[in-house]
Structures are given as structure tokens and as C-alpha cells.
Amino acid sequence: EYFVSEGIVEAPDVPFEKGYQYVVYNHTSKTIERGKSYFPLLSDNLIREIQNAPDFCTDERSAFIIRYSGSDSNVVVPRTIGDAVVRYVGGFISNRDVQTITIPNTVVRLNGQAFNHCKKLEQVILEESSRPIFPAGVFRGCPRLNMPPKGID
């Protein structure tokens, strides 16, 4: 393990999850871990948001999905990636394939543009007791989405 830049480390033990680019926030060392075989791009704003994770994550290790690059039409966001609990979802913007997405109750926050311009997105399914924060406009440009999940303006 070594520092890539301040607060970001390359961690060879971060597992690969097909279709997802993600990072893991280690609350103990206060570092962002990314896998050795893939390098998701992190904006300064996203780095700050991840570093503020203790505000909404209580796990020792929390996974932040940055980008989904798969081609499945029915996507089920994983509850965990390795030993990290998935708490944040983003990066489906302009996906051409996803029609249905299931968000587990482990997710507490969505990126403000997470699902923008997903032209085929028809249904968002929230697991029971799921109460993620849905920023305004998270489903902008999704013409087939009939009714957003409960709690979305």
C-alpha cells in the first residue's frame, strides 16, 4: 500500500467488482483506497464528499460506486464489495442499457446526477427500509421513469 496522492492510497486488496468503478473509504486510516488494476477518476468535489463520509457512514470501510460501465438492463447494486458496505451510488449518467435498478438499504446517498439521461430507465426499486438521500434532479432526463420512488420530489 502506498500513497497515490494525499489521502488516496493504492490498495491491492480492494477487489474487482464487474461493471463497477469504485473506491473504498477506510474510516480508521482516513484514506481513500482504490484498486491496483483500475483507476476511477476522482474530482476534488467527490474526494471532499468521500472524506466527509463519517457524517453518513458508520462502517469501518464504506464503498463508493463512482461509475457503472456494465450493459445489464436490470441492475442490482451490491450491498457489499469485499468487506466494504456500499453506501454511495453514482455514475449511471447517460447509461444506454439500464431499465430497472434495485438499490439496497445499505445505500444512504446518491450522487446528484447519478441517473441523469438514462433514457431507458423505467423503474427504481428500493429495498425495504431503504431511505437514501435523493438530491433534486437525480433522475433528470429519464423520460420512461413513470413514478420516482417514494420520497423524491
Side-chain angles (χ1 to χ4, degrees):
E1 164 174 306
Y2 61 91
F3 284 91
V4 175
S5 65
E6 187 176 337
I8 301 177
V9 297
E10 189 174 278
D13 62 335
V14 173
F16 176 75
E17 182 74 20
K18 184 180 178 189
Y20 295 96
Q21 291 181 2
Y22 66 95
V23 295
V24 172
Y25 184 74
N26 185 317
H27 297 272
T28 304
S29 64
K30 300 192 181 341
T31 55
I32 298 170
E33 303 169 354
R34 65 181 188 181
K36 190 172 186 156
S37 61
Y38 59 96
F39 302 98
L41 298 174
L42 302 174
S43 68
D44 289 341
N45 287 341
L46 184 55
I47 289 171
R48 278 192 295 279
E49 189 166 353
I50 292 169
Q51 289 171 333
N52 288 327
D55 294 345
F56 62 90
C57 299
T58 57
D59 316 291
E60 184 177 330
R61 293 167 49 83
S62 302
F64 290 71
I65 294 174
I66 308 301
R67 180 103 180 114
Y68 176 74
S69 58
S71 58
D72 294 336
S73 60
N74 298 310
V75 175
V76 178
V77 173
R79 299 171 73 67
T80 59
I81 298 176
D83 66 348
V85 178
V86 175
R87 294 295 188 188
Y88 175 97
V89 174
F92 282 79
I93 192 167
S94 298
N95 182 286
R96 297 172 190 222
D97 300 304
V98 68
Q99 295 175 357
T100 302
I101 184 157
T102 302
I103 299 173
N105 59 13
T106 59
V107 173
V108 294
R109 186 170 288 181
L110 299 177
N111 174 279
Q113 299 175 346
F115 300 101
N116 283 186
H117 307 289
C118 291
K119 303 292 185 196
K120 292 184 178 179
L121 183 62
E122 297 174 359
Q123 185 177 25
V124 176
I125 301 168
L126 300 177
E127 280 189 348
E128 189 174 326
S129 75
S130 189
R131 299 195 190 285
I133 296 170
F134 288 94
V138 69
F139 296 108
R140 185 171 290 127
C142 299
R144 294 184 182 183
L145 187 60
N146 293 328
M147 180 188 284
K150 184 178 177 185
I152 299 178
D153 297 329

